[in-house]
Amino acid sequence: MSSGICFCNSQGGLFKIGENALLQMRAYVQDDPGKAEAGGVLLGRFIVDSADIVVDQVTIPMPGDKRSRHRFFREAKNHQAMIDRRWNQSKHRCNYLGGWHTHPEPNPTASKTDIRDWKRALRQNQFDSETLYFVIVGTQEVSAWEGNRHTRLIKELMSIPDQEN
Amino acid sequence: MADIQKQFEEFNDVVRLKQYEHNANLREKRDVILKKLKERLKVLFEERDDDLPKYTHFDQGSYKLGTGVKPLTGDFDIDVGLLFEVDRDEYRDPVVVKQWVYDALDGHTKKVEMRRPCVTVFYQNGEEPLYHVDLAVYSAADSNFDNKICVGKGKQGSPPENCIWEEADPDGLITVLTGKYSGDDWEQFRRCLRYLKRWKDLKFPTAGNAAPVGIGLTIAAYNWFYPKQKIVDNYAGQTRTDDLGALLDFANAMLCNFNLVFRDGEYAERIEAKLPVVPYGDVFEKMSNQYMTKFKEKLQKLVAVMEEAMKEADPVEACKKLQKVFGDDFPVPERDDTGAKRGPAIITSSHSA
């Protein structure tokens, strides 16, 4: 594995957070009481001829977003502009995959607010796939959930242990 | 996981050496030598007022099989067999017959050498090698009482016990090797063999017997390669060609066939590649125990890298890993090209806690 994190998705493929995206998110780890929650959207590829999905980059807090120790509000406008730009640049191959945010806990769990927000995203957002992915970056672990647009079921994904030294 | 069959096939197109019928350049070079040989042999035998035994030529080696790869150094290797109608009882010393070929071609280029298995004509541009032609000398079956084809081994100055006619079956070898698979399976066999040969050219020193010989890898493939498709749709029974999987299985099978043997005063792990025709010898025989150990270690590394590539979700990363073992000719796709085209997305604002 390259330095990224892999999870098993429900389609029998992998959901991989690439090295670059991971570095972008880890820059906001809440490992200090002074650090506020951060978040953004996941951008990446539905790998051709496979069930694999790779997160290549993420958006980071932008003007209009609101951040506090335990809350993050993501204003759609600027993040949408980034989605559109990458989608166009990549000739529609770099796509919106879901969202991410940080938690000031080692092994992140989804809060009620998180689950409600994800279900809302599955209902209200427009996207060309069956699933959305939600990532929470804790102070030690990174966890991921998959949401189904039809059933709106959210389930946590199992991570694949990194086999490199 | 990531499907990188396309990249393997592109790699194959870059490294594969076309056979003579598709490769006018190498064919011409072969024909120039054969023409020169014919003219000069005639003159040489006229000068000594002797009759030139009849001979024919045939292609052998990886060209014949179509398993050749482009050499990294540009030093192409052309293999030709010369089948002389000479009786081994009359010409007991094969070096005599090899000497005819050597004398006929000596001076044709700057460097012509008699080596134990053949006579080699080197072509170079200044100091840079362009290609060389290996001419193996055979005594024809019809010319011998025992009806056996033999290849002449030995060179000028070798002790007599090293100058021998060794029974061989060049036609039979090709027939056996090409008879194992056909159609798509044969194509996959050849592609995987080419990948392995390119890896060998990159990872082993060229001098001496440090590298496993190409024919050895070919025999290994004959013994242990198995064609592979991967299932993409169980319901529809849909499968897709899987060169990575096939080569990985083959490399693993080779590793399983290293056995502990006693040789040169020590126990060593060795793999054998025995000719499936006479003289049935192990073509890896010349590799020292030390080189064998290196061979095994490099194979283990190759397997580890291929296993990593197989587990990798991102085809870009998978190909970058494979580049480390197969070299820069292995293509890495553009990131965006590996993503499926999807429709636009519109997001709403979001709260998290």
Side-chain angles (χ1 to χ4, degrees), chain A residues 16 45 103 120 125 128 163, chain B residues 311-312 314 338 343 348 353:
Chain A
K16 180 184 173 180
R45 290 164 288 158
H103 271 190
R120 187 200 49 73
N125 291 0
D128 188 7
Q163 297 186 343
Chain B
K311 280 184 286 198
E312 176 59 58
D314 186 348
T338 59
T348 48

Side-chain angles (χ1 to χ4, degrees), chain A residues 43 82-96, chain B residues 341-345:
Chain A
L43 296 170
M82 191 63 171
I83 294 171
D84 295 344
R85 191 186 326 155
R86 279 301 294 133
W87 187 68
N88 284 316
Q89 274 174 348
S90 68
K91 300 195 173 72
H92 312 169
R93 293 169 191 272
C94 180
N95 285 276
Y96 163 68
Chain B
K341 282 190 179 186
R342 293 287 167 104

Side-chain angles (χ1 to χ4, degrees), chain A residues 2 16 37 45-46 48 70 72-74 76 80 87 92-93 95 103 111 114 117 120 125-126 128 163, chain B residues 1 240 311-312 314 316 321 335-336 338-353:
Chain A
S2 68
K16 180 184 173 180
E37 194 171 311
R45 290 164 288 158
F46 296 96
V48 178
H70 293 287
F72 176 70
F73 171 73
R74 194 185 71 210
Q80 179 70 52
W87 187 68
H92 312 169
R93 293 169 191 272
N95 285 276
H103 271 190
S111 69
D114 295 336
D117 185 67
R120 187 200 49 73
N125 291 0
Q126 190 185 313
D128 188 7
Q163 297 186 343
Chain B
M1 306 270 179
R240 206 178 289 151
K311 280 184 286 198
E312 176 59 58
D314 186 348
V316 175
K321 286 178 201 298
R335 178 161 283 141
D336 286 342
T338 59
K341 282 190 179 186
R342 293 287 167 104
I346 298 169
I347 59 162
T348 48
S349 294
S350 111
H351 287 275
S352 57

Side-chain angles (χ1 to χ4, degrees), chain B residues 20 23-33 78 131:
Chain B
Y20 289 127
N23 196 328
N25 194 19
L26 289 175
R27 192 175 58 228
E28 272 168 29
K29 290 177 166 69
R30 177 198 64 185
D31 292 345
V32 165
I33 291 254
I78 301 175
Y131 61 97

Side-chain angles (χ1 to χ4, degrees), chain B residues 117-146:
Chain B
C118 57
V119 174
T120 304
V121 182
F122 297 89
Y123 284 77
Q124 45 203 49
N125 183 9
E127 287 308 301
E128 187 195 345
L130 291 176
Y131 61 97
H132 62 270
V133 183
D134 286 333
L135 299 136
V137 172
Y138 292 85
S139 148
D142 287 350
S143 310
N144 289 284
F145 280 113
D146 57 10

